[in-house]
Amino acid sequence: MSDHDVHPLEAQRRANREAVRALGLSPYGSRSDGLISLADAKARHSAEADEEHARRGKEPGFIDPRARVAVAGRIVLLRDTGKLIWINLRDHTGDMQVALSQRDVPPEAFQLGKASDLGDLVVVEGRVMKTRTGEVTVWGEGVRPAGKALVPPPAKHEGLVDVEIRYRQRYVDLWANPETLKVFESRSRIVSHLRRLLDARGYLEVETPMLQRLAGGAAARPFRTHMNAMDIPLFLRIAPELYLKRLLVGGLPRVYEINRNFRNEGLDKQHNPEFTMLEAYHAHGDVETVMELTEHLVRESARLVAGERGLATDDAALRLPFGEVSIDYGSPFRRLPYPELFESALGFAMTDTRRVLDEAARRGVRHAGVDPVVVVNDLFEGFAEKSLDPSRPAFITDYPAALSPLTRPKANDPRLADRADLFIAHMELAPHYTELNDPDVQEAKFREQLRGGDADKNAEEETFRTFDADFIRALKVGMPPAGGMGLGIDRLVMLLTDQRTIRDVMLFPMMRPEGQQPAS
RNA sequence: GAGGGCGUAGCUCAGUUGGCAGAGCAGCGGCCUUUUAAGCCGUAGGUCCAGGGUUCGAGUCCCUGCGCCCUCACCA
């Protein structure tokens, strides 16, 4: 890169990098063994050792009793008082001050301090001590470069505020805003914990195809791609469901998959085109079996997060904040039958078609020429779901069968479906089903779906109304009765970490391309 | 998809009725060995998102486009 198109601030940093090289040091560093975290270094401080050093430090032959540490971090603050340089380093455990005194470090190390910029990475060796003002500090005995920041960092006080840059340049957000790193550390531990909980209950984690010939298992527009070797079109999966059920056919008793799904649809605070879903299937179970599983998983994840934050973890007081709401994860999740919730929220029975239509008209809900069951559901989603207490996780049970065409009807009342949806803080978190295992019924449902394609839907939308003949063949081999559920991991992490948008719990959320894209 | 808001120095932000483009921090030069967003003196830094228009004159008003955010709609 020639000088004329380099920003002056970058040019200055390049000059500072040359100054480091002139000292005989490599600005980009090399392997360092024996490094400890800044939090661990702070914990090594000993008041007794400080005191002894202060008392006998000038005696000949005195051996410094203070802990000697080697730490690495990014320079977030730099105060050069002439012959003494104060540096605040940051790593994943927090910030810690180090001091470089001209008297106590080699000349080239001191010059490195002078030539360092905010954002540079360094390794510092020294003794853990406490300053006059009481701050635990590494009193440097040596320092060496570990990486150069040619780009100026965000404002040292405000951090990185611009949400667009936070998402596009997450590598800056993660170090400049420590809260961001905490969210993603929590996410990672939540997912690990979910795996442990499922493993402990005998669920086997499996991986099924993401590239699928038919994108089934849900109703959503898929992404298309193409495989060169076989010269065939492929879809990115919208759900793993049909493959996980094939595994039940194969005799696996309990399976789960935590992985990405892709849906070629809109983006908003709760939707990203790729998102992470846990799907779990329990042979010889039913909707109740997996509801109990989900409640266990959500409650224990909440307990994990509460513990990390030093909050109460016993059921009686297990609560986590989400915005203005304090969500109760310790009490048994509520179970609200759809018809009852409808009636208590709207004031009349969903079977009272005349009042349903009147009320839809009064509340401005579309109803003309629409199937009454659709109007019922619009009223339900618009008013009954919103009437739920956001602080109490709730399963909505007993969905009308007419609204759940792919779900098995309840044995004791075929007008209702064996389906339950978990809602927390008005977010739809997880559907649960008693799965279909009769191949003839499944085949009929597939055909019904194919016929259901509205005339005005375009050809692309038709492609996801698939008939999966191999899946029918699998069911003909014989699948045990089963309960299945799908838990949106991103939404769960949003709830547990108190983040209002899905983008704040995804490291690299989908963004529109910026600027001129290079031709590719 | 509709409506609204925002886009100014590396970062965080001001910019009045249309009248010379601003501050803090960061940067650069100087001083300073216990600082805490260090301090003091000095100094440099702009495609006001892009393009067009109105006007003697546009960061400011109008139009178009781009990006981000919010609300609504769509979404098993």
Side-chain angles (χ1 to χ4, degrees):
Chain A
M1 185 184 282
S2 54
D3 282 348
H4 68 271
D5 56 4
V6 174
H7 190 280
L9 292 174
E10 179 175 336
Q12 181 58 46
R13 283 166 177 265
R14 288 178 178 274
N16 292 345
R17 185 178 65 179
E18 287 316 302
V20 171
R21 290 196 168 117
L23 294 168
L25 301 169
S26 165
Y28 291 99
S30 56
R31 167 172 170 167
S32 292
D33 293 321
L35 297 174
I36 64 172
S37 73
L38 295 175
D40 286 347
K42 273 187 183 173
R44 297 274 194 97
H45 174 256
S46 154
E48 294 72 26
D50 267 357
E51 206 175 301
E52 186 180 357
H53 178 266
R55 194 170 66 243
R56 303 177 47 219
K58 295 203 169 94
E59 291 177 13
F62 173 72
I63 295 168
D64 195 335
R66 299 174 302 178
R68 187 156 195 277
V69 299
V71 295
R74 195 179 287 275
I75 298 174
V76 293
L77 291 173
L78 192 58
R79 298 178 293 282
D80 180 355
T81 68
K83 298 190 179 65
L84 180 63
I85 304 170
W86 301 96
I87 294 172
N88 286 36
L89 289 186
R90 176 172 296 167
D91 74 2
H92 64 287
T93 64
D95 291 4
M96 185 179 190
Q97 178 172 271
V98 306
L100 301 178
S101 166
Q102 189 172 41
R103 195 174 52 221
D104 298 327
V105 296
E108 71 277 7
F110 192 71
Q111 288 311 309
L112 170 61
K114 292 278 183 187
S116 290
D117 289 307
L118 290 176
D120 288 356
L121 303 169
V122 291
V123 168
V124 176
E125 289 174 325
R127 303 282 182 171
V128 181
M129 50 83 73
K130 197 177 252 187
T131 63
R132 280 179 200 165
T133 50
E135 179 151 356
V136 176
T137 300
V138 176
W139 195 263
E141 296 176 339
V143 58
R144 55 184 187 273
K148 184 69 193 174
L150 293 175
V151 178
K156 60 189 182 184
H157 186 50
E158 294 88 352
L160 180 56
V161 174
D162 187 319
V163 280
E164 184 173 351
I165 301 176
R166 289 186 50 226
Y167 297 148
R168 290 192 191 277
Q169 301 181 36
R170 191 67 95 179
Y171 37 88
V172 177
D173 186 32
L174 282 165
W175 77 257
N177 294 325
E179 325 80 64
T180 300
L181 178 58
K182 285 193 168 54
V183 169
F184 290 105
E185 286 174 336
S186 282
R187 177 177 180 136
S188 180
R189 284 190 290 257
I190 289 164
V191 173
S192 298
H193 197 55
L194 290 171
R195 287 199 162 97
R196 276 195 302 276
L197 294 165
L198 285 154
D199 294 347
R201 288 191 164 205
Y203 287 81
L204 193 69
E205 180 170 13
V206 296
E207 292 162 281
T208 63
M210 297 219 174
L211 295 172
Q212 301 183 345
R213 285 286 287 150
L214 301 167
R221 229 174 284 195
F223 285 93
R224 308 157 164 280
T225 186
H226 182 266
M227 185 187 188
N228 291 337
M230 297 185 187
D231 191 23
I232 51 172
L234 290 173
F235 297 106
L236 274 62
R237 77 171 183 199
I238 58 176
E241 172 164 342
L242 300 184
Y243 283 94
L244 294 174
K245 286 179 177 170
R246 283 172 168 94
L247 299 179
L248 299 187
V249 171
L252 279 64
R254 299 176 189 183
V255 294
Y256 74 96
E257 178 162 9
I258 297 178
N259 226 320
R260 220 68 63 82
N261 290 339
F262 306 87
R263 297 188 182 176
N264 206 343
E265 292 177 350
L267 292 71
D268 63 29
K269 287 165 88 167
Q270 293 181 25
H271 296 83
N272 193 72
E274 52 180 314
F275 62 100
T276 301
M277 179 83 96
L278 160 64
E279 284 202 14
Y281 291 85
H282 188 129
H284 302 291
D286 67 4
V287 65
E288 290 284 343
T289 315
V290 286
M291 286 164 73
E292 192 279 326
L293 173 67
T294 299
E295 183 164 348
H296 174 67
L297 296 176
V298 172
R299 177 170 301 119
E300 294 312 314
S301 299
R303 203 186 312 279
L304 176 82
V305 173
E308 283 177 1
R309 296 203 208 150
L311 302 173
T313 56
D314 57 304
D315 279 351
L318 182 55
R319 290 179 161 270
L320 288 174
F322 184 66
E324 302 301 307
V325 185
S326 174
I327 298 175
D328 173 6
Y329 292 101
S331 306
F333 291 3
R334 302 172 78 192
R335 291 173 182 233
L336 304 167
Y338 185 106
E340 289 175 28
L341 186 58
F342 184 97
E343 189 160 347
S344 69
L346 277 301
F348 53 90
M350 53 180 277
T351 48
D352 187 344
T353 303
R354 191 180 55 80
R355 291 210 55 186
V356 164
L357 294 177
D358 286 353
E359 197 65 16
R362 199 174 69 77
R363 298 188 189 242
V365 173
R366 71 192 159 97
H367 59 282
V370 179
D371 188 334
V373 78
V374 173
V375 180
V376 165
N377 199 45
D378 285 350
L379 285 171
F380 185 85
E381 290 181 358
F383 303 101
E385 280 180 13
K386 291 194 166 62
S387 75
L388 290 170
D389 177 352
S391 72
R392 293 290 309 276
F395 290 104
I396 296 179
T397 64
D398 296 347
Y399 274 78
L403 286 173
S404 310
L406 290 185
T407 309
R408 186 151 134 164
K410 282 177 86 98
N412 58 359
D413 186 351
R415 290 169 304 173
L416 301 176
D418 245 342
R419 164 187 171 194
D421 274 16
L422 176 62
F423 282 81
I424 305 180
H426 298 132
M427 258 201 284
E428 192 177 2
L429 209 64
H432 305 72
Y433 301 99
T434 299
E435 304 297 347
L436 282 172
N437 62 343
D438 179 332
D440 292 344
V441 173
Q442 179 70 65
E443 181 168 345
K445 302 263 188 198
F446 273 158
R447 294 200 187 285
E448 206 174 298
Q449 282 274 294
L450 287 172
R451 271 201 313 278
D454 299 338
D456 60 352
K457 297 256 170 118
N458 61 37
E460 184 183 15
E461 260 179 294
E462 291 299 332
T463 61
F464 67 73
R465 297 176 182 279
T466 52
F467 186 98
D468 192 333
D470 177 73
F471 181 65
I472 299 298
R473 181 168 64 184
L475 291 186
K476 285 181 178 172
V477 172
M479 183 182 112
M485 69 89 152
L487 175 63
I489 298 297
D490 309 284
R491 291 180 183 179
L492 176 67
V493 174
M494 284 171 65
L495 284 167
L496 298 180
T497 61
D498 193 15
Q499 299 298 310
R500 307 317 301 260
T501 80
I502 198 166
R503 302 183 142 201
D504 287 325
V505 299
M506 313 194 83
L507 282 166
F508 299 102
M510 181 59 62
M511 300 290 282
R512 233 172 247 286
E514 56 177 335
Q516 293 291 322
Q517 292 299 298
S520 57

